[in-house]
């Protein structure tokens, strides 16, 4: 949900840096559609009123099932033009 921070995906710690600014996206793209994966998440408890969040003290491990996306390059090209 909004504010949650994903720390690990399938046992791999996610670290953002100059060469990997989107580690979660890259890790998800390596997984197969409809597969179950474990995430370690720091859950947001509530908004702090200043645009940020307050967090739980301990990360939680959850299992999610990935969906899939299909698209046509031709359809995307039509939308661009």
């Amino acid at each position: 949900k909004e504010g949650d921070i994903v720390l690990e995906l399938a046992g791999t710690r996610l670290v953002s840096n100059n060469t990997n600014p989107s580690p979660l996206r890259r890790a998800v793209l390596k997984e197969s559609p409809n597969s179950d994966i474990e995430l370690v998440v720091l859950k947001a408890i509530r908004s702090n009123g200043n645009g940020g969040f307050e967090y739980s003290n301990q990360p939680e491990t959850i299992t999610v099932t990935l969906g899939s996306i299909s698209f046509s390059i031709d359809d995307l090209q039509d939308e661009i033009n």
Side-chain angles (χ1 to χ4, degrees):
K1 75 177 189 188
E2 183 180 13
D4 290 357
I5 300 171
V6 180
L7 302 173
E8 294 181 16
L9 183 143
T12 301
R13 189 161 196 71
L14 302 175
V15 178
S16 179
N17 57 43
N18 289 342
T19 59
N20 189 14
S22 303
L24 178 59
R25 181 187 320 201
R26 286 182 183 210
V28 167
L29 289 172
K30 292 178 184 176
E31 301 293 328
S32 299
N34 303 314
S35 63
D36 292 337
I37 56 172
E38 273 193 359
L39 301 177
V40 176
V41 180
L42 192 58
K43 304 289 280 179
I45 299 170
R46 64 184 154 273
S47 171
N48 67 10
N50 296 320
F53 296 90
E54 294 178 21
Y55 292 93
S56 60
N57 292 329
Q58 294 295 318
E60 291 182 32
T61 300
I62 61 172
T63 300
V64 299
T65 303
L66 296 180
S68 63
I69 297 176
S70 63
F71 61 91
S72 163
I73 296 295
D74 292 334
D75 291 343
L76 290 175
Q77 193 62 34
D78 290 342
E79 288 188 30
I80 292 171
N81 296 328

